[in-house]
Amino acid sequence: MTDAATDDGPTYSLWDLVWYATKLGSVGFGGPVALVGYMHRDLVERSRWISEADFKEGLTLAQLMPGPLAAQLAIYLGYVHYRITGATLVGIAFVLPSFLMVVALGMAYSAYGGIAWMQAVFYGVGAAVIGIIAISAYKLTTKSIGRDALLWAIYLASAAITVATESEIVWLFLLSGIVVWLIRAPPDKWFGKGPAMALAAEQLPNASLAAVAIDWPTLAQIALFFGEAGAFVFGSGLAIVPFLYGGVVTEHHWLNDRQFVDAVAVAMITPGPVVITVGFIGYLVAGFAGAVTAALATFLPCYLFTIIPAPYFKRHGKRPGIVAFVDGVTAAAIGTIAGAVIVLGKRSVTDLPTLILAIATVLVLWKFNKLPEPVIVALAAAIGLMIYSPPG
């Protein structure tokens, strides 16, 4: 069977992909692991807009670069056939719905002094999300790892390290890619007849990073801090939380512990990238201007870290050495996703009701694989509101 998305041109319009990104950003629950699974299922398996090879390249790039995984993958998939315009519009469409949601929640939170029902909602949603992530990890594993013994070894090692350390280690991805490259395509097969390491600078956007002049020192501090978060923090989803806590609570004292925990909960009960919690935090610190500043500062680096290497990935991604490297990194990345199911499960599945809810989610999605995840999330939220009782 051949992929519908071939070198002859895309089988979809740019606006089809933008609309898909908008929908995923509006109803895609579960954080980066689940969002990656949704994109693979919808764009590679079902619609066949994106080839398996292009998806693997995008996942590899997103894993190797700092910043939010799901947003970077969405940006790269927009770049595949529609270059800078596609990357830009898809990235905005993916992030904007959840940004507007967290700003609205920030307004309610500020007006009413906290969101007490949030714990109850997350109690149910968190357990269901574990089931959603487990199914996504299973599908990615069977599709990408198959029966390859070398990739299975890397996959299992990556999963075990993720469970042990409860974090993503970028050097593990690099090492995995190098191992598969050295075994399957030694360096003398990589370069062919001429060097090809130069990035296609002429394809890069003439982007200016100059921002509108900001006089308010707090906004400048927000821009600097969240810019660092987007540019230097590797890993995805909850991996950025310790960095945010250190700056937001400990260093700048913008929020207290309770407010910060609520900010993380907001990210988990809203669709789209988990990192969008920066918009909620920015709003609590400095209103709407703070939310916009925090979001732009966080996502602009990941946008640039995606589109700058993208021409190289597109131009040279089919070379045997790079294919082998991508296979190794992909195996490690999917192993990390599988390990994350256990890590996140320990936080969300804390008693018998949440265990039953997580298992029920897996069984329902296994039996009815076309059932929309938002329906499950809504039911889980309702169950959480009905049965949750605060500890103590």
Side-chain angles (χ1 to χ4, degrees):
M1 185 181 295
T2 58
D3 287 322
T6 67
D7 292 336
D8 295 331
T11 58
Y12 62 95
S13 72
L14 171 58
W15 297 111
D16 288 334
L17 190 59
V18 169
W19 175 238
Y20 170 78
T22 303
K23 289 193 295 182
L24 185 62
S26 301
V27 299
F29 289 89
V33 178
L35 292 171
V36 168
Y38 300 154
M39 284 185 261
H40 185 272
R41 178 196 65 189
D42 297 336
L43 301 179
V44 178
E45 295 178 354
R46 291 184 179 175
S47 65
R48 304 183 70 80
W49 289 351
I50 302 295
S51 70
E52 186 73 40
D54 284 330
F55 187 89
K56 282 184 177 181
E57 290 170 8
L59 182 58
T60 297
L61 182 61
Q63 290 283 359
L64 293 178
M65 295 295 173
L69 172 70
Q72 286 174 298
L73 179 58
I75 291 168
Y76 185 86
L77 297 181
Y79 182 90
V80 167
H81 290 114
Y82 292 100
R83 298 301 187 262
I84 299 301
T85 301
T88 304
L89 293 179
V90 168
I92 293 172
F94 179 64
V95 172
L96 187 59
S98 55
F99 171 76
L100 295 176
M101 291 179 198
V102 299
V103 168
L105 286 173
M107 295 171 65
Y109 188 95
S110 299
Y112 300 108
I115 304 178
W117 52 264
M118 195 175 295
Q119 289 183 341
V121 170
F122 180 63
Y123 176 79
V125 171
V129 161
I130 296 303
I132 294 172
I133 294 174
I135 286 291
S136 298
Y138 170 77
K139 290 181 178 179
L140 283 171
T141 300
T142 55
K143 180 72 174 179
S144 300
I145 308 300
R147 298 183 178 180
D148 190 301
L150 176 60
L151 297 185
W152 265 108
I154 291 173
Y155 169 90
L156 293 174
S158 178
I161 291 172
T162 300
V163 173
T165 64
E166 298 192 356
S167 64
E168 296 177 4
I169 303 174
V170 67
W171 302 115
L172 178 63
F173 302 138
L174 291 170
L175 180 62
S176 300
I178 291 171
V179 167
V180 178
W181 161 49
L182 291 176
I183 292 175
R184 294 185 175 174
D188 60 338
K189 297 180 182 179
W190 191 324
F191 297 105
K193 294 184 178 181
M197 299 302 291
L199 296 179
E202 70 279 0
Q203 297 185 32
L204 302 182
N206 184 20
S208 171
L209 298 183
V212 177
I214 297 175
D215 296 326
W216 194 12
T218 300
L219 286 183
Q221 289 179 343
I222 290 173
L224 180 61
F225 172 72
F226 286 102
E228 290 179 9
F232 298 110
V233 176
F234 286 88
S236 58
L238 294 177
I240 201 174
V241 169
F243 181 89
L244 293 180
Y245 180 85
V248 171
V249 178
T250 305
E251 180 183 351
H252 293 291
H253 305 290
W254 286 329
L255 304 182
N256 59 36
D257 285 330
R258 177 69 261 172
Q259 290 171 321
F260 185 80
V261 170
D262 287 345
V264 175
V266 163
M268 296 302 295
I269 66 170
T270 52
V274 171
V275 180
I276 201 60
T277 189
V278 301
F280 183 84
I281 294 171
Y283 186 90
L284 296 188
V285 177
F288 185 73
V292 172
T293 301
L296 285 177
T298 302
F299 286 98
L300 182 58
C302 88
Y303 169 79
L304 296 175
F305 284 142
T306 303
I307 63 170
I308 290 175
Y312 172 75
F313 269 74
K314 288 301 299 172
R315 181 176 297 182
H316 307 296
K318 303 301 186 290
R319 292 176 178 271
I322 295 180
V323 170
F325 180 83
V326 168
D327 284 344
V329 172
T330 301
I334 297 174
T336 298
I337 290 173
V341 175
I342 299 175
V343 174
L344 297 175
K346 290 190 296 184
R347 299 188 177 104
S348 298
V349 181
T350 56
D351 53 22
L352 183 59
T354 50
L355 177 62
I356 293 173
L357 191 53
I359 294 174
T361 300
V362 171
L363 295 177
V364 168
L365 288 175
W366 186 280
K367 181 68 174 178
F368 307 101
N369 57 13
K370 292 186 178 180
L371 182 67
E373 286 82 5
V375 173
I376 295 176
V377 170
L379 290 173
I383 292 172
L385 287 169
M386 288 188 293
I387 68 175
Y388 176 73
S389 58

